[in-house]
Amino acid sequence: MGHSRREKQTTHERIVRVAAKRFRERGLEGIGVADVMKEAGVTVGGFYKHFGSRDELVVEALATAFKDLDVGKSIRRTWRNFSRTT
């Protein structure tokens, strides 16, 4: 039985949230895909239904972590100001 798009999206978001939290706590090398998936309540085999690679998860998780810390706005603002001066 397949999962609805909404269920898949919810699962994807849960995986990203768990990864963002753990990366903040332990660093990028401090936690593996299996650990993230287990904590998110998803099988390791399901990882590739959501991400093409660990790097893809890292990018999404870091973006989420920055949003959570409200740093994302500051980084975008800084980048915009930088790009205007170059």
Side-chain angles (χ1 to χ4, degrees), residues 17-84:
R17 278 194 318 271
V18 168
K21 179 180 178 187
R22 294 300 173 222
F23 290 151
R24 282 192 310 265
E25 294 172 351
R26 301 180 189 167
L28 295 179
E29 300 303 321
I31 188 161
V33 168
D35 301 314
V36 170
M37 298 302 278
K38 182 177 180 181
E39 187 172 335
V42 184
T43 64
V44 175
F47 176 80
Y48 291 101
K49 292 181 182 176
H50 295 276
F51 306 96
S53 66
R54 182 178 188 273
D55 290 343
E56 193 175 303
L57 169 62
V58 168
V59 168
E60 280 194 54
L62 291 178
T64 296
F66 283 129
K67 286 179 195 172
D68 290 348
L69 297 173
D70 200 28
V71 173
K73 289 180 188 176
S74 177
I75 290 173
R76 286 190 298 275
R77 191 174 323 121
T78 301
W79 177 251
R80 278 194 306 267
N81 291 339
F82 174 77
S83 4
R84 289 179 188 149

Side-chain angles (χ1 to χ4, degrees), residues 1-9 11 42 49-50:
M1 180 172 105
H3 295 283
S4 72
R5 286 185 184 162
R6 181 67 190 137
E7 289 173 318
K8 185 175 180 183
Q9 182 63 33
T11 300
V42 184
K49 292 181 182 176
H50 295 276

